[in-house]
Amino acid sequence: MDALVNPALSKWIDDDKKYTRKLDIEELKKGTKGKCCPDIEAGLVIDEKMKELNTLIEKGGGAGTICVHGIGSVGKTAIATAINNQALRAPGLFDFVIWVDVSNGANLWQVQDDIASVIFEKLPANPNIANMAGKLHTALTGKKKFLLILDSMWQDSGSLEEMRNNGRRRLYKLSDASLLENASEVGKKVKMPNLIRDMALAIAGQNVFVKAGNKHANFPIVGDSPKGVLRMSFMRNRLGALVLLDSYDFNMLSMLLLQDNPFYLSHHNSLFFKCMINLKVLDLSHTGLSFLPDSLPNLSNLHALFLRNCLNLSDFPCLSDLNRLNVLDLSGTQLQQWPKDMDMLTKLRRLDLTQAKLDIFPIECICIYNQLEELLMIWDINSRGCVWGSNELGDWNSARVEWLPRLGHLADLQLVFLNVMVFNSYMNACPNTIDGYAITTTCFTFFVGGFHSAGVESNLHENSVTVIGDHHIVLLESTLVLNLMNCPDDVRSLNMIGCLRDLTILDVFGFNELTYLLTLDMWHSLGNLRKICVRRCRNMVGIIQSAEEANPKIISHPSLVELVLFDLKSLQHVHDGGRTKL
């Protein structure tokens, strides 16, 4: 006997056939060597998954599970979004249609809260996980029909560093296959040859719309931009304002790249982002924006917002509705006060305030942003950013370093400590710091005591410590780069506390009373040292000072490849006891 088909679901499936082009699929496969274009495949998958859903509803008697899987960026979320939207438009098919984003390691409480916000008109007051589970079970059992969509269920939820390493590996593979080439002498930038780029865009089809570096002064006219586009790049053009026509359809857009545009005009459309409800990545870096459109807070699905080096940007709208935001880059902006309701951004994993002019970093954020993996707050004398204090010094009006170890997921920390005592307070607040940095932070950049006159960028090395003035601090075991500058005291030898076996670069500048750089014991302990730079130490007579009881004629250091000596007026030798073999 033929199964009865739900009329609403039947209409839903028929309507959704518009996602499948009316083409001969077998002929298309021949033309593409057996591989369908992404939009064709998406339409087929939507049709297939809806038929599976129909089968489950016809059987009845409980819940069923349908899986949409595949590698990253093939359109899984787009397919789920299409099903979600059709379900909402089909009256009587489901009592509840619930969308939950479980990417980036969302915890059980967050999942429960997202489900409850759809089911209950008023959320239960302060329930625990067990109580909320019971309330949700009661509400969804019985005759209730519901569709629960879990987006990014099997997404790689590793750390930002792991994801960044995966990205690097992919770039290396593309480079090894001659699909990428160096775009700078230092090898930090790559570019794709024009032929390879054109082929990649052709494969991507209508899912990607790229008009980058073409000197456009306006957004594309109606008809130029394909419907259903997922990713759009309009970077490095001459756009003067954020203006789109009402007829644009960007409901499916997930990534918008607008960096390196002047945006010098002030008549930005306040509704610019209204039609981009599924946008996840927005880059407005290196633009002349002085304010952001009022519709920006409508981007409730946004995961990453980049405003790097927007030098005119000082006014921010309320961002509290961007509660799925993982990455927020405000570096180089004119931000002076913390935007309102930022405590709602509890899923932040990377916060970049480098060179921002923020006077005070609210201490309560340390507790709220407990998922932070990267906190970047380096600034110089021109930007004058947040000054950290400590409980020991009674700095109750500033962010205090004793709270930093509470960020249990923190892997990358970049901070300025104007006071050496504050830095030592931070080290004392970290557990087991006698032998090094023992909490989760694996990458760091610290400025202690001030700034180098050459600016910040020259000293932003991974795992680096730059000390200006008093250098009597406990150094971290994993320090790779150590810059010691402008010591005013009568210091005749370096006093470095801690094991520095990983140190690769030692740069000493302006230690006028220093007579020797290293003792022989220190020289032997720095087994990974590759570069030594000594400048403007007027009383230095030698680099290595032998112990009195041992004075070898030849000492060696096979890992050292560079020795820079500049403006050392009293220098007599490298080693006071004989020859040095490098």
Side-chain angles (χ1 to χ4, degrees):
M1 184 176 67
D2 294 336
L4 296 176
V5 179
N6 185 304
L9 185 62
S10 179
K11 183 177 184 304
W12 181 14
I13 294 176
D14 290 338
D15 289 344
D16 222 79
K17 289 181 179 178
K18 64 184 180 181
Y19 285 92
T20 307
R21 288 182 181 178
K22 295 180 179 179
L23 295 175
D24 187 329
I25 300 300
E26 293 302 319
E27 290 298 318
L28 182 64
K29 286 183 177 180
K30 293 177 183 177
T32 58
K33 297 183 179 180
K35 191 170 185 179
C36 292
C37 294
D39 54 345
I40 296 292
E41 292 181 341
L44 295 174
V45 173
I46 292 171
D47 197 21
E48 174 189 343
K49 297 306 176 184
M50 289 179 176
K51 289 179 180 178
E52 290 182 28
L53 188 60
N54 182 27
T55 301
L56 289 174
I57 294 176
E58 291 169 1
K59 289 181 178 180
T65 302
I66 298 175
C67 177
V68 179
H69 60 89
I71 63 174
S73 303
V74 297
K76 300 184 295 297
T77 297
I79 292 171
T81 301
I83 295 174
N84 177 81
N85 294 342
Q86 288 292 345
L88 291 172
R89 291 195 292 266
L93 185 60
F94 295 106
D95 296 293
F96 301 111
V97 178
I98 308 165
W99 179 288
V100 179
D101 185 352
V102 292
S103 63
N104 302 318
N107 58 44
L108 182 56
W109 169 250
Q110 292 169 337
V111 174
Q112 287 183 336
D113 188 61
D114 287 343
I115 296 175
S117 64
V118 176
I119 297 175
F120 303 117
E121 294 184 3
K122 184 178 180 181
L123 292 177
N126 300 323
N128 57 38
I129 290 179
N131 289 340
M132 178 61 86
K135 293 180 182 294
L136 293 176
H137 183 268
T138 301
L140 293 175
T141 53
K143 297 182 179 180
K144 296 290 184 181
K145 293 182 295 181
F146 64 91
L147 173 63
L148 174 61
I149 299 176
L150 301 177
D151 186 32
S152 301
M153 184 70 182
W154 290 278
Q155 178 178 319
D156 179 7
S157 59
S159 68
L160 292 177
E161 183 62 24
E162 289 173 348
M163 287 187 270
R164 189 175 291 113
N165 289 337
N166 288 336
R168 291 192 185 105
R169 284 192 288 269
R170 292 182 182 183
L171 290 177
Y172 292 148
K173 288 183 179 179
L174 291 174
S175 181
D176 291 342
S178 299
L179 299 178
L180 292 176
E181 57 188 29
N182 287 335
S184 64
E185 294 182 359
V186 294
K188 292 185 177 181
K189 295 181 180 180
V190 294
K191 66 179 181 180
M192 185 172 286
N194 291 337
L195 179 63
I196 303 299
R197 176 180 178 273
D198 293 342
M199 182 178 66
L201 292 176
I203 294 174
Q206 293 187 346
N207 286 330
V208 178
F209 184 68
V210 178
K211 295 291 181 181
N214 293 328
K215 301 181 180 180
H216 290 289
N218 299 294
F219 280 95
I221 61 175
V222 176
D224 285 350
S225 175
K227 292 183 178 180
V229 63
L230 299 180
R231 297 171 182 83
M232 175 177 282
S233 173
F234 227 71
M235 66 175 73
R236 298 195 307 276
N237 280 291
R238 297 179 179 176
L239 300 179
L242 293 171
V243 178
L244 284 178
L245 300 178
D246 293 338
S247 55
Y248 280 106
D249 179 13
F250 288 139
N251 287 328
M252 303 293 288
L253 190 65
S254 65
M255 177 184 292
L256 179 60
L257 306 180
L258 296 174
Q259 62 266 40
D260 295 296
N261 278 285
F263 291 131
Y264 56 90
L265 300 176
S266 59
H267 57 271
H268 304 299
N269 189 342
S270 62
L271 301 180
F272 182 83
F273 296 111
K274 182 180 179 181
C275 60
M276 304 178 187
I277 56 175
N278 288 305
L279 197 64
K280 289 189 175 182
V281 177
L282 174 61
D283 197 336
L284 294 166
S285 300
H286 301 278
T287 61
L289 287 170
S290 58
F291 67 93
L292 298 171
D294 294 337
S295 54
L296 180 70
N298 296 336
L299 302 177
S300 58
N301 289 308
L302 199 64
H303 283 56
L305 175 59
F306 299 93
L307 298 169
R308 186 178 187 86
N309 288 335
C310 291
L311 301 179
N312 300 323
L313 188 60
S314 60
D315 187 22
F316 291 80
C318 178
L319 303 179
S320 61
D321 290 335
L322 306 184
N323 52 21
R324 294 183 178 179
L325 206 61
N326 298 145
V327 177
L328 179 58
D329 189 339
L330 301 176
S331 60
T333 64
Q334 299 298 307
L335 176 68
Q336 297 182 9
Q337 295 183 349
W338 200 237
K340 294 181 179 179
D341 298 325
M342 291 286 283
D343 55 345
M344 301 299 292
L345 308 184
T346 58
K347 295 184 180 180
L348 274 182
R349 301 174 70 184
R350 176 185 172 89
L351 178 60
D352 193 342
L353 297 172
T354 303
Q355 298 290 74
K357 296 185 177 180
L358 184 67
D359 292 329
I360 296 178
F361 185 69
I363 191 171
E364 58 270 16
C365 292
I366 299 296
C367 300
I368 295 169
Y369 301 155
N370 57 9
Q371 299 300 313
L372 266 184
E373 297 177 29
E374 300 177 3
L375 177 60
L376 315 178
M377 298 183 69
I378 293 291
W379 48 270
D380 63 14
I381 198 64
N382 296 317
S383 57
R384 189 63 181 178
C386 175
V387 177
W388 289 83
S390 72
N391 294 337
E392 294 182 12
L393 299 180
D395 297 321
W396 308 113
N397 294 324
S398 61
R400 300 191 293 279
V401 294
E402 285 83 2
W403 288 70
L404 285 172
R406 302 188 182 194
L407 299 177
H409 297 280
L410 201 61
D412 190 351
L413 181 61
Q414 297 184 6
L415 289 184
V416 172
F417 302 88
L418 290 184
N419 191 311
V420 173
M421 295 179 64
V422 174
F423 178 77
N424 289 332
S425 295
Y426 167 66
M427 294 299 297
N428 292 331
C430 298
N432 303 321
T433 56
I434 296 177
D435 294 326
Y437 202 59
I439 61 175
T440 57
T441 302
T442 56
C443 186
F444 53 85
T445 302
F446 295 144
F447 280 75
V448 183
F451 300 98
H452 180 28
S453 59
V456 171
E457 295 297 330
S458 61
N459 288 318
L460 281 182
H461 300 285
E462 181 177 324
N463 286 23
S464 68
V465 179
T466 300
V467 184
I468 295 91
D470 183 6
H471 72 290
H472 294 87
I473 62 172
V474 177
L475 293 171
L476 312 180
E477 180 179 351
S478 50
T479 300
L480 299 178
V481 179
L482 177 60
N483 304 299
L484 303 175
M485 300 178 179
N486 300 329
C487 185
D489 301 327
D490 184 13
V491 176
R492 297 185 178 277
S493 63
L494 294 184
N495 183 13
M496 295 185 293
I497 304 173
C499 178
L500 295 177
R501 61 172 175 264
D502 294 330
L503 192 68
T504 59
I505 298 176
L506 175 61
D507 189 338
V508 178
F509 175 91
F511 276 53
N512 290 327
E513 302 303 320
L514 191 65
T515 54
Y516 284 92
L517 180 66
L518 301 169
T519 66
L520 187 59
D521 289 339
M522 294 170 65
W523 172 264
H524 288 308
S525 67
L526 303 176
N528 290 307
L529 200 61
R530 296 181 58 81
K531 177 180 178 179
I532 294 178
C533 184
V534 187
R535 297 166 293 154
R536 295 187 177 177
C537 299
R538 64 188 181 192
N539 289 330
M540 181 169 291
V541 298
I543 304 301
I544 307 167
Q545 181 183 29
S546 295
E548 295 181 359
E549 63 277 9
N551 191 12
K553 292 183 178 181
I554 299 179
I555 61 173
S556 63
H557 203 301
S559 64
L560 191 69
V561 295
E562 186 175 0
L563 178 61
V564 179
L565 306 176
F566 176 77
D567 196 10
L568 306 178
K569 297 179 180 180
S570 303
L571 186 67
Q572 300 176 15
H573 45 249
V574 173
H575 171 224
D576 65 359
R579 292 183 292 125
T580 304
K581 186 177 180 180
L582 305 179

